[in-house]
Amino acid sequence: MSTTRYFIVVLRSMNRQLFMAFLAMISSIILLPSTMIAQDGIRTQENVGAQENSAKQAPSEPVPQKQLLVPQNLLKLLHAPEVHAELGLKPSQVNSLEELFGKIDAEWFRSRNMPADQQYLTVNLLEGKALEWLKNNLTADQVVRTRELLYRSQGVRMLLISSVQKELGLTDVQISSLSAAAESTQQAEQKLMLAMHSGGNTEDLTKKLSEANLQENQLWLRVLDEGQKTKVSRMIGKEFDTRSLTRVYPMAPELVPVADWINSKPLTLANLRGKVVLLHFYAFQCHNCHANFAHYVRWHDRYKDKGVVVLGIQTPETPAESDPKKVREAAEQRGLKFPILVDLGNKNWDNWSNTMWPTVYLIDQKGYLRHWWQGELNWQGAKGDEAIDKLINQLLTNPPG
């Protein structure tokens, strides 16, 4: 049965309240980084600093698989202006929340490259700090609405949360069925990602993932009884589209001070607030980086007087790339006239938990990450430059409030 046909059948057999709950359950937001990885259009390096940090904090026991299946969306939701409006946050509450972001966002951003168990534990710790902030700064009604929005964002996976299972009175059989469906979807996702990274055929795997996702999203309607479905509709509250949130990433990590800058005095991202920043990591002998240079030059020339700063971070891989004089000479030869931070000690690379040359990050006027792209912008017909141009113009036309 097609997805559309299935929706019609569900609509005819359910009252409006339960049908809207169904739509919310199948509309789990996908808030993964919108990163495009151009295969073979990159140069990589093991992030030793991040790995050492992860090893120091590695869990003594694996995190239960069921917990890893539940999206950790609280921080993403709290970063979204649409959620601030929905909660009715006052300016003082938003300012206080942004103070919290200044303390936790860099670690949250670095966690993206950690092993799954370590990432879960790190984000869980940071979410704990966010929950403490909610308790101390929001009204009871705002806290309740935040929980409703979180459940909405998690979709059917909210049914894997122990407290939700207890509140709904789910049986062991129901829990087992829901968990098995989620695991099947995850396995299909992993197979597709492996194929994408290896350059294999993804058509059949994409179809299988779609089928697994649909089966998981349909299962709860068959597994839950009518009373449990009614409770779910109450738990997720009134309608709210969590899929259209415009800002769900952390504040960008601050630059680590270094001795050598090219084309500029030392800069900080804090001092660049009010401007769109295109920050990119490169190495001057990296051929994949060379493929992006023309775009960096074009962006600098086109937008430098419109509130956009192109900022290069040259992190070395070869001995020559570790020589500030040669970095400067290469920048002159390539016509790179924008500010360049010479990251000889890899401190900025590590602080950003960067893993690839080249990588481009787009930061909005308030210091939040909006997008990033790993690899050549036009690798094998990709149009990463066009995507970034579009986002730049959106931010210039409608700057964040």
Side-chain angles (χ1 to χ4, degrees):
M1 182 184 294
S2 70
T3 302
T4 302
R5 170 70 175 160
Y6 181 76
F7 286 170
I8 293 173
V9 171
V10 171
L11 180 58
R12 288 174 177 170
S13 62
M14 300 173 63
N15 62 40
R16 175 172 173 76
Q17 182 185 32
L18 289 183
F19 180 64
M20 295 314 298
F22 168 72
L23 289 181
M25 293 294 286
I26 66 170
S27 299
S28 173
I29 51 176
I30 301 175
L31 297 177
L32 300 176
S34 55
T35 305
M36 303 299 295
I37 302 177
Q39 296 303 318
D40 296 327
I42 55 178
R43 218 165 71 175
T44 63
Q45 179 190 62
E46 294 297 331
N47 194 332
V48 177
Q51 289 179 341
E52 288 177 348
N53 187 54
S54 299
K56 292 176 183 177
Q57 302 178 30
S60 56
E61 296 182 3
V63 176
Q65 177 66 15
K66 184 180 74 171
Q67 291 177 230
L68 295 177
L69 291 170
V70 180
Q72 294 175 291
N73 287 341
L74 179 60
L75 296 179
K76 301 166 187 175
L77 290 172
L78 292 179
H79 279 68
E82 297 87 350
V83 171
H84 300 172
E86 176 68 14
L87 296 177
L89 296 188
K90 299 176 181 178
S92 60
Q93 290 175 308
V94 175
N95 290 338
S96 176
L97 186 56
E98 291 194 327
E99 289 180 8
L100 174 68
F101 295 160
K103 298 175 182 177
I104 69 173
D105 273 12
E107 187 173 1
W108 177 32
F109 186 56
R110 288 190 289 268
S111 74
R112 74 195 187 281
N113 292 326
M114 293 178 180
D117 281 19
Q118 184 58 34
Q119 182 185 59
Y120 174 86
L121 292 174
T122 298
V123 175
N124 193 53
L125 177 64
L126 299 176
E127 286 190 338
K129 295 180 180 180
L131 287 170
E132 185 68 20
W133 182 90
L134 293 173
K135 176 183 175 182
N136 294 330
N137 292 275
L138 299 191
T139 66
D141 287 343
Q142 288 174 323
V143 171
V144 169
R145 185 54 177 158
T146 302
R147 183 169 60 248
E148 292 173 350
L149 297 180
L150 180 59
Y151 285 155
R152 279 184 168 269
S153 78
Q154 292 166 331
V156 293
R157 298 288 175 89
M158 69 173 277
L159 300 176
L160 302 183
I161 301 172
S162 297
S163 59
V164 172
Q165 294 170 350
K166 183 177 181 180
E167 185 169 348
L168 295 176
L170 298 186
T171 66
D172 290 343
V173 173
Q174 289 175 313
I175 293 171
S176 178
S177 296
L178 294 166
S179 298
E183 289 171 1
S184 294
T185 302
Q186 184 188 52
Q187 290 170 5
E189 290 174 350
Q190 291 172 342
K191 289 179 180 178
L192 177 59
M193 290 299 296
L194 286 173
M196 291 174 65
H197 281 280
S198 63
N201 190 328
T202 61
E203 184 175 351
D204 289 342
L205 293 174
T206 300
K207 181 179 179 181
K208 289 180 179 179
L209 174 57
S210 178
E211 292 171 350
N213 190 53
L214 180 59
Q215 289 174 7
E216 180 185 358
N217 287 320
Q218 293 175 352
L219 180 64
W220 80 283
L221 286 170
R222 299 196 303 270
V223 169
L224 271 60
D225 63 35
E226 294 305 311
Q228 291 168 331
K229 293 173 187 175
T230 300
K231 287 182 180 179
V232 167
S233 71
R234 289 200 297 264
M235 292 172 71
I236 63 177
K238 64 181 180 180
E239 294 180 49
F240 183 84
D241 186 5
T242 57
R243 297 166 299 173
S244 60
L245 303 181
T246 56
R247 192 183 73 203
V248 295
Y249 297 137
M251 285 184 172
E254 185 53 90
L255 301 176
V256 178
V258 299
D260 296 292
W261 280 79
I262 298 171
N263 301 327
S264 173
K265 64 180 182 181
L267 300 174
T268 66
L269 294 182
N271 289 336
L272 291 176
R273 293 287 173 86
K275 297 181 181 294
V276 175
V277 179
L278 285 165
L279 184 151
H280 64 93
F281 285 86
Y282 80 100
F284 76 77
Q285 291 184 322
C286 164
H287 293 293
N288 304 121
C289 299
H290 295 170
N292 284 355
F293 282 173
H295 296 300
Y296 304 154
V297 170
R298 177 176 61 83
W299 286 331
H300 175 69
D301 291 342
R302 176 179 293 182
Y303 298 117
K304 64 183 178 181
D305 296 324
K306 298 181 180 180
V308 179
V309 175
V310 177
L311 197 164
I313 298 181
Q314 207 275 176
T315 303
E317 182 182 29
T318 67
E321 292 165 347
S322 298
D323 184 338
K325 181 180 178 181
K326 291 183 178 180
V327 175
R328 183 180 297 275
E329 290 173 350
E332 292 175 354
Q333 291 171 2
R334 294 282 179 174
L336 308 183
K337 299 179 181 179
F338 46 79
I340 296 173
L341 181 158
V342 184
D343 190 32
L344 298 183
N346 289 30
K347 291 182 178 180
N348 284 278
W349 178 282
D350 291 342
N351 192 45
W352 280 66
S353 192
N354 199 62
T355 58
M356 300 178 183
W357 294 278
T359 300
V360 185
Y361 298 93
L362 178 62
I363 305 166
D364 72 16
Q365 294 96 321
K366 297 195 71 176
Y368 290 91
L369 288 156
R370 289 301 189 95
H371 180 77
W372 61 92
W373 184 286
Q374 294 173 299
E376 295 181 20
L377 290 158
N378 298 136
W379 178 258
Q380 295 185 342
K383 297 181 179 180
D385 58 315
E386 294 181 11
I388 291 176
D389 268 307
K390 181 178 179 180
L391 287 168
I392 291 172
N393 285 292
Q394 288 176 352
L395 289 170
L396 294 178
T397 302
N398 298 297

